[in-house]
């Protein structure tokens, strides 16, 4: 039982210094800025979102143009 308590305490302590698994920066000297939060990556993600929106709109327009209207 004492060994299980020690393991649990070690895991809890480890979780306090390892929040980057959820995309957050670790506090103090332990972490670094996650790649997804850098300005370059944010700009790239936004460009990809914009491109996906344009492709979606073009696909919808193509489907609407190819579908005959019911009479």
């Amino acid at each position: 039982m004492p060994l299980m308590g020690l393991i649990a305490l070690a895991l809890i302590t480890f979780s306090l210094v390892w929040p980057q698994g959820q995309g957050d920066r670790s506090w103090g000297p332990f972490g670094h800025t996650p790649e997804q939060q850098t300005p370059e990556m944010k700009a790239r993600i936004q460009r990809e979102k914009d491109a996906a929106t344009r492709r979606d709109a073009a696909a919808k327009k193509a489907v609407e143009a190819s579908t005959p209207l019911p009479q």
Side-chain angles (χ1 to χ4, degrees):
M1 233 12 175
L3 181 60
M4 288 176 38
L6 184 61
I7 291 171
L9 183 62
L11 290 174
I12 290 169
T13 303
F14 184 67
S15 73
L16 293 174
V17 297
W18 197 265
Q20 285 188 328
Q22 298 177 5
D24 295 331
R25 184 185 188 282
S26 294
W27 52 272
F30 297 109
H32 56 82
T33 302
E35 188 174 328
Q36 293 86 355
Q37 294 181 2
T38 61
E40 297 85 18
M41 186 58 75
K42 284 183 178 181
R44 182 177 177 186
I45 290 170
Q46 188 60 46
R47 284 193 308 268
E48 289 178 7
K49 284 181 183 178
D50 294 342
T53 302
R54 286 191 303 271
R55 284 191 306 269
D56 187 41
K60 285 181 182 178
K61 188 176 180 181
V63 168
E64 289 173 359
S66 67
T67 305
L69 295 175
Q71 294 179 10

